Amino acid sequence: MTDNSEESGPPDPRENEELRGQREAETHFLDAYNSKKLPHAWLLSGPKGVGKATLAHRIARFILSRPVADADSPGLFRDALQTVDPSSLFTNQNSPVFRRVATGAHADFLFIERTVDEKNGKLRKEIRVNEVRRIGSFLSMSPAEGGWRVVIIDSADEMNVNAANAFLKVLEEPPKRALLLLVSHNPGRLLPTILSRCRRLTLRSLPPVTISQLLQDYAPEIDADDAADLAELADGSVGRALRLAQEGGLDLYRDINQLLSNLPHLDIPGVHKLGDKLARDKSGEAFVQTADLLDRWLVDRIKANTLDTGKRNRSLMSPTGLDPWIEVWEKTNHLFQQANGLHLDRKQIILNTFLSIEAAAQS
């Protein structure tokens, strides 16, 4: 595998002028905009790493580039309005609006995210109520440039209870020409009253071919074969593919597959070697990656058991059907959850997991 030690990744959403694979979501927003009945609050949901924050910033730049035409707007801005309906959210990165939104210097744009704790210098785990209260103050002012005011919260899932309740008050009485964009990885964590007041915009998982292309753009040091393999492992998220590359996930996946290639019998010395490697990793990232990859492997085995017999890989099947695989999947999930909470011996958990897989294959 190509050396991926240098950190790579997609452009910051604030700096990214393009978004691939989400044309359906863009079209949905444009249709609402062109209808002249644009909802004031939007929930941008979908898996991590598919472009939700990038889309939110595309929308913000688009809206702030197009002041509204009404009696309250200064003539300067009314004269600047386009006379045709737009067909794209694209804003050139050389645009003054693009640059001011990217740097947080646009007077009609507010970006809310977790802040740094001054006491320890680390990023807080939640968005606090003081941050959300800034939205009320921001929206109480008239638009500085005669058009819209736009707020992005990234991510809305991270608001604590007080922050969520404060935001709900803004949603209940939205001011004129205000657009609220909530980025959400897990909408189930939001208050039902917030969900009910937002138009949903769902971003889909990206196809492997798109992820592979993006990997070549964002991390050209990854060779084409590795990019294709990472794309298959990424579950539709280019962000996940990049994390796998940066944290050695592809090598781990290949090691795991090699260890399991001789089932129903295991390479026990090889399993011990993997366990020792994970035990030495002080960061714990490799262990988390291994847990995730083993979970994926087991889910694939469960899916394989549901296929027609003629299509099955007999070396990976249990004569007794699905039950042994479901049991080992539940057991390993429980083990890895315990490891995170109780700081259990990583090597022993890896050994137990592989031995459970071997037993399922032999049952």
Side-chain angles (χ1 to χ4, degrees), residues 4-68:
N4 297 330
S5 57
E6 293 186 8
E7 183 136 348
S8 303
D12 187 302
R14 287 165 281 205
E15 300 282 351
N16 194 358
E17 74 172 357
E18 68 168 336
L19 176 64
R20 296 187 213 171
Q22 302 297 350
R23 182 60 186 172
E24 182 180 350
E26 290 207 6
T27 299
H28 186 68
F29 182 86
L30 281 167
D31 288 345
Y33 175 84
N34 290 327
S35 73
K36 313 302 185 208
K37 297 179 181 179
L38 187 67
H40 72 281
W42 291 76
L43 180 69
L44 281 60
S45 63
K48 288 186 176 181
V50 298
K52 298 185 297 298
T54 297
L55 178 57
H57 281 84
R58 282 172 70 84
I59 290 173
R61 296 189 296 258
F62 170 85
I63 289 294
L64 293 171
S65 297
R66 290 163 175 78
V68 296

Side-chain angles (χ1 to χ4, degrees), residues 34 70 90 116 214 266 268 335 341:
N34 290 327
D70 62 26
F90 176 79
V116 173
L214 288 170
L266 274 179
I268 297 299
L335 276 173

Side-chain angles (χ1 to χ4, degrees), residues 68-75 78 143 146-147 176-177:
V68 296
D70 62 26
D72 297 328
S73 299
R78 290 202 305 271
K176 188 177 181 181
R177 299 201 306 272

